[in-house]
């Protein structure tokens, strides 16, 4: 019985880490990347993934609510995240990988 308890504890910790990673990943993506990828808005995913994270912290893994949270986290990780990462710049906040001489239509070459 102790082995089963340890396994369930490890599974619970893995689920908390998984939902925490998804929440962190959703938080660092740009708001407009969600719209460009034709997915729900950033606040929507932050609320859903935040609830999933809190539910995983509070409830036992054998409960019904952590399973719903796991489904929401999986949907984000296999559908939303790849669509956002496929966008130029990866949907991350900030300037990205562009050069300081990049203009709105690409790199500026000094009239060459």
């Amino acid at each position: 019985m102790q082995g089963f308890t340890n396994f369930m504890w490890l599974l619970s910790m893995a689920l908390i880490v998984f939902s925490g990673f998804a929440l962190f990943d959703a938080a660092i993506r740009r708001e407009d990347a969600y719209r460009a990828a034709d997915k729900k808005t950033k606040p929507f995913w932050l609320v859903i993934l935040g609830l999933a994270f809190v539910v995983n912290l509070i409830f036992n893994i054998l409960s019904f609510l952590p399973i719903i949270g796991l489904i929401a986290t999986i949907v984000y990780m296999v559908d939303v995240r790849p669509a956002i990462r496929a966008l130029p710049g990866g949907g991350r906040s900030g300037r990205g990988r562009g050069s300081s001489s990049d203009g709105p239509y690409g790199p500026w070459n000094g009239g060459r």
Side-chain angles (χ1 to χ4, degrees), residues 33-53:
Y34 289 87
R35 289 178 301 212
D38 199 28
K39 302 298 176 186
K40 296 282 188 186
T41 63
K42 181 177 181 173
F44 172 83
W45 283 109
L46 288 176
V47 167
I48 294 297
L49 294 172
L51 285 173
F53 181 72

Side-chain angles (χ1 to χ4, degrees), residues 43-101:
F44 172 83
W45 283 109
L46 288 176
V47 167
I48 294 297
L49 294 172
L51 285 173
F53 181 72
V54 170
V55 162
N56 288 330
L57 284 175
I58 295 173
F59 291 100
N60 186 1
I61 193 156
L62 296 176
S63 177
F64 184 68
L65 290 176
I67 295 171
I68 294 173
L70 175 63
I71 291 170
T73 305
I74 289 172
V75 167
Y76 175 80
M77 292 298 286
V78 301
D79 182 38
V80 178
R81 184 173 188 253
I84 292 173
R85 290 186 71 195
L87 296 173
R92 291 213 174 171
S93 299
R95 190 152 166 88
R97 296 185 191 119
S99 170
S100 62
S101 65

